[in-house]
Amino acid sequence: MERVSSKEEARQALGAARREGMRIGLVPTMGALHEGHLSLVRASCKRADYTAVSIFVNPTQFGEGEDFSAYPRDLERDLSLLKAEGVDLVFTPSTAVMYAGDAQVSVDPGPLASVWEGESRPGHFRGVCTVVAKLLSIVGPDLAFFGEKDYQQLKIVERMVRDLDAATTIVAMPIVRERDGLAMSSRNAYLSAEERAQAVALCEALEAAAQAVAWGELAGPEIERIMAEEFSARPLVELEYAAVVDPATLGRADGVGGGARALVAARVGRTRLIDNVALAAPVAEAASATGASQTC
Ligand code: AMP
């Protein structure tokens, strides 16, 4: 496994792989790797001939007062995990390298970024799109792997690649969860034992939504009410939103008839967590696939 920290070295390594006709996979991360990240890495190692992983805590996607400086970092551990997975290249640029010079251009994430996370975190998706566009330019991957954990991010990146004609296929990977259903996240490390116990409210709300749909509840507002109820017994968890949305527009969906996504965001103490699940109206044989196993 090669580790490089400059764009030139990265381009050189990737150029060599490309000349050998290899199919290149990219997994962009902010490090503090867990099984969720590693599931993306494994998918890339399986589907691509050459896997590059970037580790970069991107300052431009953090807002003022957010956790940029506190964000967990453990590069040595990350490198040994990636080596064990058979990764070919790890790109670890510094902020000075990534944003060298007086950059003036950034990527407008468009209307999908105006709601939910975009509303709570102004500028977040502009930062995400800009850094992902830069990584796609530097690495030039055939495939780039993103987790459904950050569902709105995934949808915006898919849209960016489509609208800007990037020659990369975005591969969406399912959410990897802890045993009790909590979606894995580098930010879970911030939780106290008490907070960690109550944080399951997020996946329990999603589970309740999936269960309600399986029992025939198809109205978006009613499913949102059911989700919100799950938070009432968890005083350490402050619900920010629990929404049923159209997966294409991310706008509120009146019903789940044509397929919908349930999104939740909540503050647990000082930690902000997000989670989501697909909701599909039960058609006879699909009914049993909707529900429990997907979340908690
Ligand atoms: P991050 O390091 O948080 O920027 O995440 C890097 C990538 O890993 C993103 O595409 C995330 O959506 C994905 N990811 C993070 N947590 C999970 C998880 N629990 N399951 C699947 N993918 C995840």
Side-chain angles (χ1 to χ4, degrees), residues 94-113:
S94 64
T95 300
V97 162
M98 204 57 182
Y99 293 105
D102 65 336
Q104 296 184 353
V105 175
S106 59
V107 179
D108 180 347
L112 291 180

Side-chain angles (χ1 to χ4, degrees), residues 247 255-260 279-281:
V256 305
L279 299 176

